[in-house]
Amino acid sequence: MDLGEIEELRENLGEFVAEAFASLKRKDQRGWGDCYLRGLMLDGRRKSIQPMAERLPDGNMQALQQFVSQSTWDHVPVLRSVATKVASEISPEAWVIDDTSFPKAGDQSAGAARQWCGALGKKSLCQVGVSLHAVTDAASVPLNWRLFLPAEWADPADGRRAKAGVPAEVGHREKWRLALDAIDEALGWGLPGRVVVADAGYGQMHAFRAGLADRGLDYAVAVRGDISAHPGQAVPIAPEREGRMGAPRLPRYREPARSLKDLVTTAGRRRLRRCTWRQGSRGAMTSRFIVLEVRPAGVAATKAAREEAGGRAGWDGVLPAETLIAEWPPHQDEPTDYWLTSLPADTALRHLVRMAKIRWRIEHDYRELKHGLGLDHFEGRTWRGWHHHVTLVTAAHAFLTLRRLDPKAQAPA
């Protein structure tokens, strides 16, 4: 947007800021929040503080720097206000978990380490943020964020922690745990839970899927085809005792667990069904799918089922069932993609596939968040500054998304 377009939005943006930043008690802080959001939305290659301040008529680099990097305002109530407004306006069909990287030139920024950097497609110095998004086919907006702290940052004696302002109580937590933390916080805000969708980085973790189930949330998560499982109809059999005095032996499945890929290919192409799940820019999105009930196996699944039953003696050997969705496109020799979901296997195929694939929508989020609003342009190093910046970018993105969806805003004057 140019300055003229930004000026036309001043009144609407002011109303949005007043609501979203109501938790900021000081008027000047709310004013700098408004200014920062205008800087993010204004045209310009770089959305770090100095160039934004230079573009804005009322920009002040020192004041914006203090507001974002040093001021003690709490970002959580702002995220809560934005998330609540978004949830009521767009009525999300799913919550999508994802993570994104922020390349860094050095290792002094909070959480910066040499790790997989999706933005560069290789291992490199970067920060990683775990995000929770509200999603429909028409719109998506981030609801919550967590900054991943690698294990090397967990040492209290590491001087970088104090310099970056990492809170003493914050340590290393796996990304899937951070995702559950973000979900718990969103539920605590009173947001109604939705089907949770995630890529295989999260879906592979049995503990993540079990955590969602424990929270009463359905899910549709990508997995690899090498996960081992039993067919849904398989039943464990209790072997006979070894002698009169032998202890009862645990029930066991007669056949060893097989990979999801093997279960699908054994079922064969005759079980495939054609499905069109949405209209894309190039026409109907159509492919062929198979849906099977399976019982994921392995150490983690077995341990969880045993603990759920109260221990070894109380477990009947039955592993919980999940629904497997596999895509096997025409002209492919084998399936290409797999998902596990808690939704029943007799759910309408189009709904299952839409949920499994709806995370495509957040690619729109990231394009606008990064290329349009400067999500990864923050040059500060502090824990507080990172959270302030991503919260402000989220607010700007929410404002623009809600405006695009508002028929009044689109109506000709």
Side-chain angles (χ1 to χ4, degrees):
M1 295 183 181
D2 59 30
L3 282 172
E5 292 170 316
I6 292 290
E7 195 60 34
E8 290 179 3
L9 296 176
R10 284 294 291 272
E11 182 177 350
N12 299 106
L13 180 60
E15 294 173 356
F16 177 86
V17 167
E19 182 178 352
F21 291 78
S23 59
L24 277 63
K25 301 305 181 184
R26 288 170 44 185
K27 182 179 179 180
D28 64 316
Q29 288 183 329
R30 295 193 297 273
W32 289 120
D34 182 289
C35 184
Y36 200 87
L37 262 61
R38 283 185 281 119
L40 293 171
M41 293 186 289
L42 190 60
D43 291 338
R45 184 176 180 182
R46 191 74 186 165
K47 301 296 176 74
S48 51
I49 291 174
Q50 181 176 349
M52 287 199 304
E54 292 172 350
R55 295 184 200 113
L56 291 164
D58 55 345
N60 181 308
M61 186 180 76
Q62 184 175 355
L64 288 174
Q65 182 72 46
Q66 197 279 334
F67 171 70
V68 176
S69 296
Q70 298 158 14
S71 184
T72 58
W73 59 275
D74 188 352
H75 70 281
V76 175
V78 178
L79 275 178
R80 177 178 183 171
S81 180
V82 172
T84 301
K85 187 173 183 64
V86 164
S88 65
E89 295 285 343
I90 74 171
S91 299
E93 298 177 77
W95 282 355
V96 173
I97 290 292
D98 204 0
D99 52 67
T100 189
S101 55
F102 302 76
K104 306 301 288 188
D107 64 355
Q108 299 302 302
S109 297
R114 186 172 178 79
Q115 55 193 318
W116 176 257
C117 181
L120 302 177
K122 62 180 181 179
K123 266 195 166 185
S124 184
L125 268 175
C126 67
Q127 297 168 303
V128 174
V130 176
S131 53
L132 170 66
H133 304 246
V135 178
T136 71
D137 277 335
S140 54
V141 178
L143 300 176
N144 208 348
W145 292 88
R146 289 291 186 277
L147 179 59
F148 173 64
L149 205 65
E152 66 187 70
W153 274 81
D155 183 0
D158 190 333
R160 295 179 301 171
R161 287 179 60 99
K163 290 180 181 178
V166 177
E169 68 275 12
V170 175
H172 169 70
R173 281 177 73 76
E174 298 93 331
K175 294 172 189 173
W176 66 268
R177 293 187 191 275
L178 292 178
L180 292 177
D181 291 344
I183 288 171
D184 286 340
E185 189 166 51
L187 293 172
W189 293 341
L191 301 184
R194 294 291 186 261
V195 176
V196 176
V197 180
D199 66 18
Y202 298 88
Q204 284 286 124
M205 298 296 301
H206 182 274
F208 177 68
R209 305 197 308 274
L212 295 174
D214 289 344
R215 289 159 173 78
L217 296 173
D218 281 316
Y219 56 84
V221 294
V223 293
R224 297 195 307 265
D226 59 1
I227 283 185
S228 61
H230 297 282
Q233 69 273 18
V235 177
I237 303 298
E240 295 182 3
R241 294 189 183 196
E242 294 182 352
R244 289 186 177 182
M245 304 302 293
R249 298 170 66 185
L250 283 176
R252 298 178 181 176
Y253 288 93
R254 290 189 173 188
E255 301 292 333
R258 297 148 62 192
S259 71
L260 298 182
K261 177 182 176 181
D262 189 30
L263 291 174
V264 172
T265 53
T266 298
R269 295 176 184 270
R270 67 184 183 281
R271 295 282 300 274
L272 291 172
R273 289 187 284 162
R274 184 181 177 88
C275 177
T276 298
W277 62 95
R278 71 178 179 88
Q279 294 293 320
S281 58
R282 298 182 180 178
M285 306 293 289
T286 301
S287 188
R288 298 188 303 174
F289 299 86
I290 187 171
V291 176
L292 302 172
E293 186 179 74
V294 299
R295 299 182 183 276
V299 174
T302 301
K303 181 180 178 181
R306 187 180 299 165
E307 290 177 353
E308 182 70 20
R312 184 177 187 275
W315 186 40
D316 60 5
V318 176
L319 292 166
E322 296 180 68
T323 300
L324 168 65
I325 310 164
E327 182 176 3
W328 195 339
H331 314 302
Q332 294 290 335
D333 294 333
E334 59 187 35
T336 56
D337 296 284
Y338 304 84
W339 297 267
L340 286 174
T341 178
S342 58
L343 297 171
D346 60 359
T347 302
L349 179 60
R350 184 173 183 272
H351 182 67
L352 289 176
V353 174
R354 278 190 67 244
M355 289 298 98
K357 286 182 170 284
I358 203 168
R359 64 180 300 275
W360 70 271
R361 177 68 219 185
I362 66 170
E363 297 305 323
H364 289 254
D365 274 8
Y366 284 138
R367 277 197 291 273
E368 182 166 42
L369 287 164
K370 289 194 170 188
H371 303 307
L373 296 172
L375 178 66
D376 54 356
H377 293 183
F378 180 61
E379 295 175 350
R381 295 179 175 179
T382 65
W383 175 272
R384 177 181 296 154
W386 185 89
H387 285 86
H388 282 173
H389 176 71
V390 299
T391 297
L392 291 161
V393 173
T394 296
H397 183 258
F399 172 76
L400 292 173
T401 299
L402 295 178
R403 185 165 178 80
R404 283 194 291 267
L405 296 175
D406 183 358
K408 295 179 181 178
Q410 305 304 322

